[in-house]
Amino acid sequence: MSDIRVQNTKNNLIAALLSCLEDESFHKLKVKDIIDKAGVSTRTFYQYYSDVNDLLRDTRR
C-alpha cells in the first residue's frame, strides 16, 4: 500500500486537472495551470508524472 501523503497529492493533482479542464481545452492546458490549482510545486508534479498526458492516464485508475 502506498503512503497516504502520496495518494493525497495524486488525488489533488487529478482534481486540479479535472477542474482545469472545465475552463480550458486539454491541448491548451499547461502543467503550471494544474500545479497552481493543486497548490503543489513543479518538482512535486514531476516526481509523480512525466507530463499532463501521464496525469490524465492516472485518472482512469
Side-chain angles (χ1 to χ4, degrees):
M1 178 157 39
S2 67
D3 187 332
I4 190 72
R5 293 170 296 177
V6 170
Q7 198 56 52
N8 284 340
T9 300
K10 287 184 172 187
N11 288 341
N12 287 341
L13 286 166
I14 289 169
L17 168 67
L18 296 175
S19 178
C20 286
L21 287 173
E22 293 176 1
D23 302 324
E24 191 69 58
S25 73
F26 181 76
H27 298 290
K28 292 183 180 179
L29 196 58
K30 303 204 179 341
V31 169
K32 180 157 180 24
D33 301 327
I34 298 166
I35 64 172
D36 286 348
K37 192 159 292 243
V40 300
S41 68
T42 303
R43 181 178 177 162
T44 298
F45 178 89
Y46 286 110
Q47 181 177 355
Y48 300 113
Y49 302 104
S50 60
D51 58 17
V52 178
N53 290 314
D54 193 22
L55 173 58
L56 182 64
R57 280 189 289 276
D58 201 26
T59 63
R60 295 184 282 181
R61 56 182 164 94

